[in-house]
């Protein structure tokens, strides 16, 4: 499997993991609220990942450490705001609007010869959301747009720290920061409403989140940001599918057509998306016990 296909597979695995985690969070969301559900996932991931990876902060350098911290803030913003949007909009619609962030990155960073793919993806997202069918929840749209801005920042920052810091050490810094930001953002009453079963679910969701963000970091080491951003168009299609199968949010003809367009755009982005090799710093593993995580790969995100 070549570098581009590996990066594409990792990106799709990440998107699928995110949507499964979102669908699994619906029950908790009904009781704890969108912010409480997002907080549970972020805190669990922030507690688990440092147990697997021990980042030596002195080896980061000031600039990379600051970038990892800001990445954590962007991660928290993306997750918290997206969950707030999902609480007010259908899963597929919220994800489609949030995709405007990666689409903006793709349009800004892509080559002219590949510009058709972000445009095709944007048309597909428009058909998925169908804004001409009445006025949607404006608060939900606002949350989704804010999540889109955070997602764009997340992509650019992940590329930055993923190139500069080997392995998953950057995630071991950014995820605890994301959990801390989420803790300050939630209503204190959310914590008191937790049940023992929520803690177990939170651990599972945290592991899914670590898997998702880790896969994205590895994917961006293999794909350029423009192609990665366009490839993220597949996520609204996945959200639409999971929303139909798990949440019984059945798409119409326009939604299915939009799904087809974003899949085609994603395939096109895959064919033009390989990054030129860049050196990635080597360092000894920062892991505890016998757990093995894939190290940084030269020429990958």
């Amino acid at each position: 499997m070549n570098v581009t296909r590996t990066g594409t597979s990792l990106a799709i695995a990440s998107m699928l993991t995110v949507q499964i985690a979102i669908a699994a969070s619906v029950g908790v969301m009904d009781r704890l609220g969108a912010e409480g559900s997002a907080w549970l996932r972020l805190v669990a991931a922030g507690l688990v990942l440092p147990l697997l990876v021990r980042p030596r902060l002195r080896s980061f350098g000031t600039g990379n450490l600051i970038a990892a911290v800001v990445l954590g803030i962007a991660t928290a913003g993306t997750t918290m705001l997206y969950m707030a949007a999902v609480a007010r909009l259908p899963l597929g619609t919220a994800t489609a609007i949030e995709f405007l962030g990666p689409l903006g990155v793709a349009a800004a960073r892509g080559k002219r010869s590949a510009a058709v793919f972000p445009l095709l993806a944007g048309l597909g997202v428009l058909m998925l959301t169908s804004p001409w069918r009445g006025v949607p929840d404006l608060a939900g749209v606002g949350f989704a747009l804010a999540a889109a801005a955070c997602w764009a920042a997340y992509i650019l920052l992940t590329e930055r720290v993923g190139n500069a810091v080997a392995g998953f050490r950057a995630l071991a810094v950014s995820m605890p920061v994301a959990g801390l930001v989420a803790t300050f953002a939630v209503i204190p009453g959310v914590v008191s409403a937790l049940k023992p079963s929520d803690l177990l679910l939170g651990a599972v969701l945290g592991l899914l989140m670590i898997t998702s963000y880790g896969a994205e970091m590895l994917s961006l080491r293999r794909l350029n940001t423009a192609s990665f951003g366009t490839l993220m168009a597949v996520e609204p299609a996945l959200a639409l599918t999971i929303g139909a199968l798990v949440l019984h949010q059945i798409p119409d003809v326009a939604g299915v057509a939009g799904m087809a367009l974003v899949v085609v755009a994603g395939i096109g982005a895959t064919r033009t998306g390989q990054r030129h090799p860049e050196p990635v710093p080597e360092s000894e593993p920062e892991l505890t016990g016998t757990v093995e995580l894939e190290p940084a790969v030269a020429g990958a995100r």
Side-chain angles (χ1 to χ4, degrees):
M1 183 177 292
N2 62 32
V3 172
T4 304
R5 290 181 180 177
T6 301
T8 300
S9 298
L10 287 165
I12 292 176
S14 172
M15 290 183 278
L16 185 60
T17 302
V18 167
Q19 295 306 318
I20 291 174
I22 295 296
S25 301
V26 170
V28 177
M29 194 188 309
D30 291 339
R31 191 160 46 80
L32 300 182
E35 294 80 3
S37 175
W39 168 81
L40 187 63
R41 294 166 57 206
L42 288 169
V43 169
L47 290 174
V48 171
L49 188 55
L51 298 178
L52 300 176
V53 182
R54 290 183 178 179
R56 296 177 181 176
L57 300 184
R58 293 180 181 178
S59 66
F60 275 61
T62 303
N64 293 330
L65 184 59
I66 292 175
V69 170
V70 178
L71 173 60
I73 297 172
T75 300
T78 302
T79 304
M80 299 286 288
L81 292 167
Y82 175 67
M83 292 298 289
V86 169
R88 295 165 174 82
L89 299 171
L91 182 61
T93 301
T95 306
I97 296 173
E98 189 197 27
F99 167 68
L100 293 175
L103 183 62
V105 173
R109 302 283 291 269
K111 298 179 181 180
R112 290 186 178 180
S113 60
V116 63
F117 300 124
L119 292 176
L120 193 63
L123 177 60
V125 169
L126 188 66
M127 296 183 70
L128 280 167
T129 54
S130 302
W132 52 83
R133 296 183 178 177
V135 179
D137 187 302
L138 294 181
V141 172
F143 283 125
L145 289 173
C150 289
W151 197 4
Y154 165 84
I155 291 173
L156 297 175
L157 287 165
T158 300
E159 182 188 41
R160 157 76 187 274
V161 298
N163 286 338
V165 181
F168 293 95
R169 293 182 299 149
L171 280 180
V173 172
S174 65
M175 292 310 302
V177 170
L180 187 61
V181 171
T183 299
F184 281 112
V186 299
I187 301 174
V190 170
V191 179
S192 61
L194 287 174
K195 295 181 178 180
S197 58
D198 294 333
L199 300 179
L200 179 59
L201 178 60
V204 174
L205 295 176
L207 289 173
L208 288 174
M209 176 166 281
I210 291 171
T211 301
S212 172
Y213 286 134
E216 284 187 352
M217 179 167 284
L218 293 174
S219 175
L220 269 168
R221 285 176 176 157
R222 292 162 169 83
L223 301 175
N224 59 53
T225 52
S227 295
F228 180 86
T230 304
L231 186 60
M232 289 295 103
V234 176
E235 186 155 359
L238 289 175
L240 199 69
T241 302
I242 293 176
L245 296 177
V246 179
L247 306 179
H248 307 294
Q249 299 171 348
I250 307 300
D252 56 12
V253 175
V256 174
M259 182 190 306
L261 286 177
V262 296
V263 169
V264 170
I267 294 172
T270 299
R271 293 183 178 274
T272 61
Q274 182 171 345
R275 292 184 54 184
H276 297 295
E278 297 177 7
V280 177
E282 296 289 341
S283 65
E284 69 271 18
E286 302 286 346
L287 308 178
T288 61
T290 60
V291 178
E292 290 291 339
L293 296 179
E294 180 175 340
V297 177
R301 173 190 176 194

